[in-house]
Amino acid sequence: MTAVTPPLQPLSGAEEAVVRALGRVIQVLPRVMDADLVREQRLPLNEYMTLVNLSEAPDRQMRMNELAAACFLSLSGMTRIVDRLVAEGLIERVRCPEDARGWNAVLTDAGLTRLEQAYPAHLASVRRRVVDHLDGIDLARLAQALQRFGTCGIDPTGAQGEPCPESE
């Protein structure tokens, strides 16, 4: 016996407005924040976020595949970023002690210094582009909602992630 799927309900005006605004944010926000960092610090946002993730990791190091997942990039994309940062002396590559086939990216002292230099420009961009527009909004609830639909069904490696729960 085949299960009957209920008909889809059209979006309300408010729902449509949210979906369209979110689509614009997804497209525009990374670009303008990247432009801010490049203009102020000559450091692209994806390189900045790579340094951030390494700075927060134990011993300031992560396996390359874990770093790629944390930055929502493919392993090949992360490899290109790490290659650039290695050339600048901001990251080192070391063999993974648990698995001689794997590599870890390690944030150098110069990389941490570079991150600290770029932080004020990134903070100013985040405030100007995002936080300053959220007056009167329950930030805890907004963060919960964004985390829910920002992760279900998505695996940063590109594989099919866990299915989203049915709407309540």
Side-chain angles (χ1 to χ4, degrees):
M1 185 170 202
T2 307
V4 177
T5 304
L8 293 175
Q9 296 298 314
L11 296 176
S12 70
E15 290 169 334
E16 182 71 30
V18 167
V19 170
R20 288 180 185 222
L22 184 59
R24 183 165 173 77
V25 166
I26 289 167
Q27 294 295 316
V28 173
L29 188 60
R31 290 179 190 161
V32 296
M33 291 181 66
D34 180 73
D36 290 345
L37 262 177
V38 168
R39 183 181 57 256
E40 298 291 325
Q41 289 290 317
R42 291 187 285 288
L43 183 68
L45 183 59
N46 57 14
E47 291 180 12
Y48 177 84
M49 292 310 300
T50 299
L51 298 176
V52 167
N53 279 285
L54 287 172
S55 76
E56 295 170 345
D59 300 321
R60 298 189 327 205
Q61 65 180 307
M62 296 176 77
R63 286 189 64 121
M64 288 291 294
N65 63 327
E66 293 169 353
L67 182 57
C71 293
F72 297 100
L73 294 171
S74 67
L75 184 56
S76 62
M78 180 53 63
T79 297
R80 286 188 293 276
I81 290 169
V82 168
D83 286 346
R84 287 192 302 271
L85 295 173
V86 165
E88 294 178 35
L90 305 179
I91 291 179
E92 293 176 345
R93 274 205 186 109
V94 298
R95 284 274 181 202
C96 180
E98 299 86 26
D99 176 6
R101 296 175 301 157
W103 290 89
N104 288 346
V106 181
L107 184 66
T108 64
D109 290 341
L112 184 58
T113 298
R114 182 70 179 102
L115 177 61
E116 291 168 345
Q117 290 168 346
Y119 173 73
H122 179 67
L123 176 60
S125 180
V126 168
R127 288 210 168 274
R128 182 173 65 254
R129 305 289 186 178
V130 180
V131 177
D132 290 350
H133 302 280
L134 299 176
D135 274 351
I137 293 176
D138 182 338
L139 295 180
R141 290 190 67 202
L142 176 60
Q144 288 172 342
L146 292 172
Q147 289 167 352
R148 277 196 311 270
F149 69 77
T151 57
C152 69
I154 300 171
D155 180 326
T157 65
Q160 181 65 34
E162 294 296 318
C164 295
E166 293 297 320
S167 295
E168 297 172 9

